[in-house]
Amino acid sequence: MAERVSIGQSPSAWRRFAAAAVAAGALVLGGCQTVVPRGPAPVRRPPVVRPTQPQQPVVEQGIPKDTQRHRVALLVPLSGPNAGVGQSLANATQLALLDSSNDRVRITSYDTASGAALAAQKALADGAQLILGPLLAEDVRVVTPIARRAGVPVVSFSNDSSAAGNGAYLMGYVPAQSVARVVNYATDKGVTSFGALVPNGTYGERASTAFLRAVEAAGGRVGSLQTYDRAAGSMTAAIIRMTKSAPYQAILIADGGSMAAAGVPVLHKNGMGGARVLGTELWNSESAIASKPALEGAWFASVSDGLYRQYATKYRARFGTAPFRLSSLGYDAVLLTIRIMRDWPIGAPFPEDRLHDRGGFAGIDGAFRFGRDNVAERALEVQEIRGGTTVTVSPAPGGFEE
């Protein structure tokens, strides 16, 4: 008979038995653990790249931005009745760029004949930092406030001083300066008594004021100042009225050369043929002025023609036609821009304060500078019509005294 083994019923004996059973079970389970074989390693596939839409180029409106040159706008009439003058000014600006071999200024022309305001707005939208022009005073008055709001100065070709200021500068030949210059020259030559014939209108009013002031400043006397309309018989009537205060040593005819030449025979007929005839800067704009026999011995003040003749020759060779006399203003405006460009970084606003340099600027028409009124003060010469040509009898000064 088998021996029976008994286990005591004490708690400690049961705890030792349970612990041994757990340990044995763990060994049995550990020895019977099933090993699952591994399959092949997963294949790594490259990520799916979806096709992208090609980037569309950015199309800018207007003229492309220029990062290498200054953007300058030229506002002139390129159609309509003043198209000839406007095109001549445009040609002159291009000739100035060529002559100076300058590639840092880009000039774009805008036609003011279709609206000066629209032309200015288009120029500013295209990035213009300086405006050259317009030609007419009424256009200057329209363009100036538009440009001023954008901080862009306007260098105009007008000679109407009332259009200057508020960012507008005038390069035109102002009648007051030529009248004062020829009167001063006449007094230097001993003339003390003066008469004057002036047309009605704005030009005549300004010429009259300048004449009276110049004669007074020179210590002379004005015997008579008569106005007339540009109509048949009107100048003759004015000359007859002048006879009441005759004689005169010099008589100013503040009009174009053709009108002056028509009036001289009437002066002779009415006993005033001994007076020296004086003219204004308007005479210099007429190429045939020297060929008028009635004006023999007359004096007039204007910008110098020396460099202009050379310019006119080059202009004809390039464009196949003669330039308008006023076109030299366009050429000189570019020279002014190039000189100031030394202190004008690309992309920066135009340094307007430089326009008031007291030393002035030089150009085809000689030295000039802008005064406090923004009107160009010019160094003028006095010419005499003699033997079918014009002779300089008093040269223009080469510059200005500070």
Side-chain angles (χ1 to χ4, degrees), residues 87-104:
Q87 187 59 58
S88 195
L89 283 162
N91 290 344
T93 62
Q94 297 305 314
L95 189 59
L97 290 178
L98 291 172
D99 286 350
S100 61
S101 299
N102 190 283
D103 59 357
R104 294 184 61 203

Side-chain angles (χ1 to χ4, degrees), residues 33-388:
Q33 185 175 7
T34 304
V35 177
V36 179
R38 295 183 180 178
V43 178
R44 293 182 176 273
R45 293 186 179 146
V48 178
V49 179
R50 299 183 180 276
T52 58
Q53 295 295 328
Q55 186 176 3
Q56 298 298 321
V58 178
V59 179
E60 295 184 359
Q61 299 297 321
I63 298 177
K65 292 182 179 179
D66 200 330
T67 59
Q68 301 299 321
R69 292 178 292 182
H70 294 292
R71 178 66 55 77
V72 176
L74 176 68
L75 271 60
V76 289
L78 297 174
S79 59
N82 294 312
V85 181
Q87 187 59 58
S88 195
L89 283 162
N91 290 344
T93 62
Q94 297 305 314
L95 189 59
L97 290 178
L98 291 172
D99 286 350
S100 61
S101 299
N102 190 283
D103 59 357
R104 294 184 61 203
V105 176
R106 176 175 182 169
I107 298 179
T108 306
S109 298
Y110 300 84
D111 188 4
T112 55
S114 56
L118 290 175
Q121 291 164 356
K122 181 67 168 61
L124 294 172
D126 287 341
Q129 300 156 310
L130 173 67
I131 291 177
L132 304 181
L135 173 64
L136 305 178
E138 55 264 34
D139 288 343
V140 177
R141 296 187 182 95
V142 170
V143 168
T144 298
I146 298 173
R148 193 62 175 174
R149 287 193 292 271
V152 174
V154 174
V155 179
S156 167
F157 306 129
S158 171
N159 68 345
D160 186 344
S161 57
S162 67
N166 195 32
Y169 298 77
L170 267 60
M171 287 190 66
Y173 316 127
V174 179
Q177 296 179 28
S178 68
V179 170
R181 177 76 166 94
V182 76
V183 166
N184 289 337
Y185 177 77
T187 55
D188 288 344
K189 295 301 179 183
V191 175
T192 58
S193 62
F194 295 84
L197 293 164
V198 295
N200 288 315
T202 302
Y203 183 89
E205 291 172 1
R206 294 201 172 103
S208 298
T209 301
F211 175 72
L212 294 172
R213 288 176 177 173
V215 172
E216 180 182 5
R221 178 184 65 85
V222 176
S224 179
L225 188 155
Q226 298 295 327
T227 62
Y228 60 89
D229 296 321
R230 290 188 174 95
S234 184
M235 179 181 279
T236 298
I239 291 173
I240 292 173
R241 294 193 299 270
M242 288 185 67
T243 60
K244 298 177 182 179
S245 301
Y248 311 96
Q249 292 174 288
I251 296 175
L252 172 73
I253 304 180
D255 210 329
S258 297
M259 286 296 293
V264 169
V266 184
L267 289 173
H268 282 261
K269 185 178 179 179
N270 287 274
M272 291 176 280
R276 176 82 65 169
V277 175
L278 309 179
T280 72
E281 85 292 340
L282 292 177
W283 291 19
N284 201 38
S285 63
E286 300 180 31
S287 58
I289 186 71
S291 64
K292 301 181 184 299
L295 298 179
E296 178 74 15
W299 293 332
F300 68 97
S302 73
V303 294
S304 174
D305 274 340
L307 292 176
Y308 177 80
R309 293 188 182 100
Q310 299 177 34
Y311 154 78
T313 299
K314 295 179 69 174
Y315 185 103
R316 288 190 196 94
R318 181 162 189 85
F319 300 108
T321 185
F324 279 77
R325 184 61 182 84
L326 288 176
S327 68
S328 58
L329 295 177
Y331 193 102
D332 285 357
V334 173
L335 296 187
L336 175 152
T337 303
I338 292 173
R339 174 169 176 180
I340 293 179
M341 191 176 66
R342 302 169 189 168
D343 301 321
W344 183 18
I346 299 292
F350 182 83
E352 185 176 344
D353 60 311
R354 286 294 314 280
L355 290 172
H356 286 287
D357 285 357
R358 297 306 298 159
F361 307 93
I364 290 175
D365 290 332
F368 68 97
R369 66 181 177 183
F370 293 106
R372 294 180 179 177
D373 58 358
N374 288 7
V375 176
E377 174 190 353
R378 294 189 171 275
L380 303 178
E381 68 178 19
V382 178
Q383 300 181 43
E384 178 181 323
I385 298 177
R386 185 189 304 168

